[in-house]
Amino acid sequence: MDPLRTLWETFFDWESMREALPEMLTVGLPNTLILAVTAALLGSALGILLAVAGISRTRWLRWPARVWTDVFRGLPAAATILLIGVGLAPLGMQVWGPNPYPLGILALSLIASAYIGEIFRSGIQSIEATQLEAARALGLSWGEAMRLVIIPQGIRRILPAWVNQLIALIKDSSLVYFLGLLASQRELFRIGQDYAANTGNQSALLLAGLCYLALTVPLTHAVNWIDRRLRHGRPATGPAHDDPDDLDLALPGAAGGNQR
């Protein structure tokens, strides 16, 4: 029973969790959401540009988009955050001072843009070619057809995948602690790590993990609901016949037979 007791005392100290919870809710949770949501929005804006460039017939647009996507999808997230956070630190010092927070958002945005760009590209290419041809036949230019017809339909189709990427960003935001955030900028994982280091107990880290679950599990179920709604549409609310063959199509007066 000693290993079980050690495990319980190390990760399930309710007093340590109670002590860390207020700061996680007031500091860590808002910063985690700011990092993830801002990176998702910036990454989506850049991802749309990458998707359009990736399907362009101009190779000078298509090749850079492909290289960008390969690089930021292939590098580990921690390596990208360190490259941006440390490599651009002198530039960041001149722009906004000794504050690594914007660099962390930038790094997460670049990572997200590579994945979201591929999500958008697959969504755009899933639209039937006749949609673009019909838009062009109505007099729209290629750019107008993409902006008004193709991209809106593609966004609707990739919404579940986009929410999945937001979930990944929420978890990846824990890596921004590598940049040495200020006390008021710490996200959930960093606060849990600090409490664990100060108390010698890992319960605060477990609490941080539970907070991530509280964020990601509802989003996961929301993705499943959105996917079902897009595939099957709204449930029928009015009366409907189960079998169209059961409809009474007899002419008036025919019920009694064909009498002359």
Side-chain angles (χ1 to χ4, degrees):
M1 296 299 294
D2 288 339
L4 292 179
R5 181 177 180 181
T6 301
L7 178 66
W8 183 266
E9 293 177 350
T10 302
F11 290 98
F12 296 93
D13 186 348
W14 307 115
E15 183 63 27
S16 298
M17 290 185 179
R18 188 184 63 82
E19 183 180 353
L21 183 60
E23 192 169 7
M24 285 194 178
L25 295 179
T26 58
V27 178
L29 181 60
N31 283 323
T32 296
L33 292 176
I34 290 173
L35 288 168
V37 174
T38 306
L41 295 177
L42 294 177
S44 297
L46 186 54
I48 291 178
L49 298 179
L50 289 173
V52 174
I55 62 176
S56 173
R57 297 178 180 178
T58 305
R59 61 181 180 180
W60 303 114
L61 292 176
R62 189 173 62 252
W63 290 358
R66 174 51 54 190
V67 171
W68 179 289
T69 301
D70 290 342
V71 169
F72 286 106
R73 287 180 68 187
L75 285 174
T80 302
I81 291 173
L82 286 175
L83 285 173
I84 299 299
V86 177
L88 298 182
L91 178 61
M93 185 76 69
Q94 298 176 3
V95 176
W96 47 69
N99 183 4
Y101 202 77
L103 291 176
I105 293 177
L106 176 61
L108 290 175
S109 301
L110 296 181
I111 295 169
S113 68
Y115 289 94
I116 295 176
E118 285 297 284
I119 292 172
F120 277 127
R121 183 180 64 81
S122 64
I124 291 173
Q125 290 182 327
S126 71
I127 305 300
E128 295 78 4
T130 54
Q131 296 271 355
L132 181 59
E133 295 171 0
R136 297 297 302 274
L138 292 174
L140 298 179
S141 65
W142 186 87
E144 290 174 336
M146 292 294 294
R147 178 169 55 87
L148 300 175
V149 179
I150 304 301
I151 291 179
Q153 294 184 72
I155 290 176
R156 180 181 177 183
R157 293 188 179 185
I158 57 89
L159 189 57
W162 186 90
V163 178
N164 279 328
Q165 185 58 37
L166 175 61
I167 292 173
L169 281 172
I170 290 176
K171 294 184 291 185
D172 286 344
S173 66
S174 63
L175 300 174
V176 178
Y177 84 93
F178 287 140
L179 303 182
L181 299 175
L182 301 177
S184 60
Q185 298 172 339
R186 293 175 300 168
E187 31 68 44
L188 288 168
F189 180 78
R190 183 60 182 177
I191 291 177
Q193 191 180 47
D194 288 345
Y195 272 95
N198 292 334
T199 62
N201 189 280
Q202 308 300 315
S203 299
L205 281 175
L206 177 62
L207 179 61
L210 294 176
C211 290
Y212 283 110
L213 285 176
L215 291 174
T216 57
V217 169
L219 283 175
T220 302
H221 289 286
V223 168
N224 296 333
W225 181 84
I226 292 172
D227 185 53
R228 288 194 303 270
R229 190 66 174 269
L230 293 179
R231 283 190 289 109
H232 302 296
R234 295 183 179 181
T237 56
H241 294 281
D242 293 333
D243 189 351
D245 293 336
D246 294 336
L247 295 175
D248 186 6
L249 299 180
L251 293 175
N258 188 11
Q259 300 180 354
R260 292 186 179 180

